[in-house]
Amino acid sequence: MGTTGKRLFQYAMLYKKSILAAMVLLVLAVCAELTGPLIAKRMIDQNILGVEKQWYEVDGKQPYAVNYKDQWFKRIDRFDDDKVEIKGKEVRVLQVGRSYYFLDGALEFSGGKREVTGNELTVANKTTGEKAVYPVTKLTKSELFAFYKPEIPGLFQLAALYMGLLVLVAIFSYGQRLILQTTANRIVRKMRNDVFSHTQRLPVNYYDNLAAGQVVSRITNDTEAIRELYVGVLANFFTGTIYIVAIYGALFLLDPRLALISLPLVPILIVWIIIYRKYAAKYNTIIRTKLSEINAMINESIQGMTIIQAFRRQKETTKEFDEMNNYYFKYQNKLLSLNSITSHNLVNVVRNVLFLAVIWMFWGGSLGAVVTVGVLYAYIDYMNRMFAPIVGIVNQLSNLETARVSAERVFKLMDEEGIEVEKGKMDRYKGEVAFSNVSFAYKKNEYVLKNITLNARQGETVALVGHTGSGKSSILNLLFRFYDTNEGAISIDGRDVRDIPKQMLRQHMGIVLQDPFLFTGTIASNVSLDNPEISRERIEQSLRDVGAYDMFSSLPGGIDAPVIEKGSTLSAGQRQLISFARALAYDPAILILDEATASIDTETEAVIQEALDVLKRGRTTFVIAHRLSTIRQADQILVLDRGVIVERGNHDALMNHQGKYYAMYQLQQGSAQTA
């Protein structure tokens, strides 16, 4: 068992009591079901074909005695061994073709070919070539029925027992399947919760190189494939294994020679599984990977549908999808061909070859002693019952490989180093932030920040300006600990941020992005993010502080108006106001505005600026802004160029310096006047 198998087993062991209960019910069902052929064997050999056993004349009517022509006869196996019973002459009832004959006497040898001519029975011994001729009388239907009549109560009792066992099998099988499949669903529910929870612990940089659709595929499609492992594959493997072991046990009880003939089936099945898995593993890995890529592309296409249609890229996008889909189709067909070759049809071929071998051995006489019809019937019944679970196992091989590959992908995601979510709380810090010679690179040796040093005191507003790619957002990513520094240190209130658990550090931070993200729900739920600690009054007050409460109150439903995915029915300004109110509702010690006013019209921006003047008191605020007019009142303005702070100071000082900031400001002012 590999690492993946061990981990799947560990998940199963979380519900070992339920699985054990299902296995007990399964064993009971198998035992009850496999008793059936033994009952059928007894009915055939004892109650039906037993009529050809020796009969002895007895004195008068008694249990199991048969009246024939005013004489009473009793079968040899119906005499009571505990009592001394007087046996008269021996007689026989013999079947020749479809007719039965009464022989008033004993047979010299019972085996051999039988022929009746007139009232004479000829029995020829195949081995010695001897022949014996006996006078016989053909029995009428009523006379024959008289010999069978004592067996009818026993037949009905065995038939009733057989039916009762079938009812028990149905009850046990129902309970076993219900418990096992319910347990399987619980296992996968637990696994899916664990996978999703782990995605919340993964650092932001993990998602930089992995498409969202691929992560979605692992949480949904791959865990669903694993569910099929527990529901279908393991159920069939458990059931099949128990059935095969039990049937072999029954075969050895029935006839050891027949059991030995059937033993090669086990190594054949094992070799079969090994060969199948060798080829199926390769195909399934490609299929699951390609399916993730298809999901990722679908997800990306839906999110970017506006751009695709606006730039008339529908044909190219469809062509790209078609190529991926055809590749997926190609390997699906390869797997289908493999499954077809190793399907239950091959099982049927093996079964038929086995039956031919048994028939050949019967006719060849190599089995030695005679095997009764009942034994032969029970053997064929057992073999048919054995091949049913073998077919079940073979048919589940494809699902087994799919689930194994899916499990590897899921566990690979779960093995990514995550950050444990701290459940405790941290006292609200003041918000004094210091960067000391901080350097950072997203990729090795490609530094986007170089020797950044800054100090922001409590209540100060620090503005970061510079061209695209100058490192403004990277500074805030480090402050939030979405990433950690390569060199240097960042501290809050004199404490290194790396010594503070990330969740606790972010408890007292608020952020407003240029492109705010809204969740499906309502306006109010997007402000509170369903945090029970944020009251309705606090939500309303936050919206009032940003000047948005009256705007949203006029909507149908007010602040309880529904918000669909990403808030696409709201304007950019409305989405930004909700995002801003969200940050304020959490009452952060450090407030970060990442180009927060870039998508807002001038009138809305004025409303936010008024709210900011009040809200910045006692709060350290970092602002990234393209509109330099919005940061004129900032306490510090840091001008970045290619990851280096090239200028710092307030607006007036930088304007007097007439450097890069002065040039940027003059350029924007000129553009505004021209516009």
Side-chain angles (χ1 to χ4, degrees), residues 63 67 70 105 108 202 218 228 250 262 345 424 467 545 562 564 588 655:
N67 187 315
D70 298 327
E108 291 183 25
L202 291 174
R218 295 189 188 188
E228 192 58 36
S262 310
N345 292 324
H467 59 77
D545 288 340
I564 62 174
M655 290 298 289

Side-chain angles (χ1 to χ4, degrees), residues 47-338:
N47 301 97
I48 298 174
L49 298 181
V51 73
E52 288 205 355
K53 293 182 179 182
Q54 298 98 321
W55 293 78
Y56 292 93
E57 187 178 359
V58 293
D59 295 331
K61 184 177 180 181
Q62 56 183 272
Y64 294 103
V66 176
N67 187 315
Y68 176 70
K69 293 184 178 180
D70 298 327
Q71 291 178 295
W72 293 89
F73 300 97
K74 191 173 180 180
R75 212 167 75 188
I76 186 171
D77 56 338
R78 296 307 184 188
F79 284 91
D80 193 341
D81 294 334
D82 296 331
K83 296 180 182 179
V84 178
E85 295 188 63
I86 299 173
K87 298 178 183 177
K89 65 177 180 179
E90 179 183 342
V91 299
R92 301 293 291 269
V93 175
L94 303 172
Q95 182 182 8
V96 181
R98 298 181 65 181
S99 301
Y100 285 82
Y101 296 86
F102 181 80
L103 169 61
D104 192 4
L107 278 176
E108 291 183 25
F109 46 87
S110 58
K113 184 178 179 182
R114 299 174 183 175
E115 287 183 353
V116 174
T117 305
N119 290 326
E120 287 187 345
L121 168 67
T122 302
V123 181
N125 192 315
K126 289 182 179 180
T127 307
T128 63
E130 295 179 89
K131 288 187 178 182
V133 180
Y134 306 95
V136 293
T137 304
K138 187 175 182 180
L139 295 172
T140 64
K141 289 182 179 179
S142 59
E143 289 171 338
L144 177 62
F145 179 73
F147 282 97
Y148 274 113
K149 190 174 180 180
E151 304 301 320
I152 291 176
L155 277 171
F156 277 121
Q157 288 175 4
L158 291 173
L161 178 60
Y162 193 94
M163 292 299 296
L165 287 173
L166 289 180
V167 172
L168 285 177
V169 169
I171 294 171
F172 291 146
S173 296
Y174 170 78
Q176 172 256 325
R177 287 180 178 275
L178 180 65
I179 294 173
L180 197 60
Q181 296 201 17
T182 302
T183 303
N185 287 331
R186 287 175 179 167
I187 292 170
V188 175
R189 178 184 65 181
K190 163 73 173 165
M191 184 180 293
R192 194 170 280 158
N193 283 338
D194 288 349
V195 177
F196 186 78
S197 297
H198 192 68
T199 62
Q200 308 300 303
R201 293 191 289 269
L202 291 174
V204 173
N205 60 356
Y206 175 79
Y207 298 100
D208 290 344
N209 301 313
L210 193 65
Q214 290 179 306
V215 179
V216 170
S217 181
R218 295 189 188 188
I219 298 174
T220 55
N221 295 349
D222 287 333
T223 53
E224 187 63 23
I226 297 171
R227 188 187 76 84
E228 192 58 36
L229 168 72
Y230 289 112
V231 171
V233 178
L234 293 188
N236 275 281
F237 270 72
F238 278 140
T239 305
T241 303
I242 291 173
Y243 260 95
I244 291 169
V245 171
I247 288 173
Y248 269 116
L251 285 176
F252 275 102
L253 288 175
L254 185 68
D255 192 299
R257 292 162 297 181
L258 291 175
L260 289 172
I261 294 171
S262 310
L263 271 181
L265 281 175
V266 175
I268 289 173
L269 181 61
I270 293 171
V271 171
W272 194 333
I273 292 172
I274 292 171
I275 293 173
Y276 176 86
R277 291 190 63 188
K278 179 181 178 181
Y279 291 97
K282 174 186 174 183
Y283 296 155
N284 272 298
T285 301
I286 295 172
I287 287 169
R288 302 310 294 183
T289 303
K290 189 56 64 175
L291 182 61
S292 289
E293 292 176 8
I294 289 174
N295 284 336
M297 184 188 177
I298 292 172
N299 183 64
E300 187 177 65
S301 298
I302 291 172
Q303 290 186 345
M305 191 58 69
T306 304
I307 301 299
I308 291 172
Q309 293 187 3
F311 287 89
R312 304 179 304 283
R313 301 292 298 173
Q314 293 97 322
K315 286 185 178 180
E316 289 78 5
T317 305
T318 303
K319 182 181 178 183
E320 183 182 350
F321 179 83
D322 193 45
E323 289 175 356
M324 295 175 69
N325 202 22
N326 285 338
Y327 190 82
Y328 179 78
F329 173 77
K330 172 185 172 183
Y331 277 91
Q332 280 280 36
N333 277 350
K334 286 188 175 184
L335 186 60
L336 182 63
S337 298
L338 179 64

Side-chain angles (χ1 to χ4, degrees), residues 386-438:
M386 181 188 287
F387 275 96
I390 289 177
V391 168
I393 290 173
V394 170
N395 287 345
Q396 289 296 332
L397 288 178
S398 60
N399 290 334
L400 171 64
E401 281 308 304
T402 300
R404 188 188 63 78
V405 172
S406 295
E408 285 180 356
R409 288 160 49 79
V410 169
F411 290 138
K412 183 180 178 182
L413 173 63
M414 294 178 71
D415 287 339
E416 292 291 336
E417 187 176 354
I419 306 139
E420 287 302 318
V421 178
E422 298 289 338
K423 295 182 179 179
K425 291 188 176 182
M426 181 180 182
D427 293 336
R428 193 174 189 272
Y429 41 72
K430 295 178 182 178
E432 295 184 353
V433 179
F435 280 62
S436 302
N437 298 316
V438 170

Side-chain angles (χ1 to χ4, degrees), residues 633-651:
Q633 304 303 318
D635 298 292
Q636 290 187 60
I637 299 174
L638 306 178
V639 183
L640 286 98
D641 183 32
R642 297 179 184 178
V644 178
I645 298 176
V646 293
E647 294 179 13
R648 69 177 73 211
N650 58 28
H651 174 77

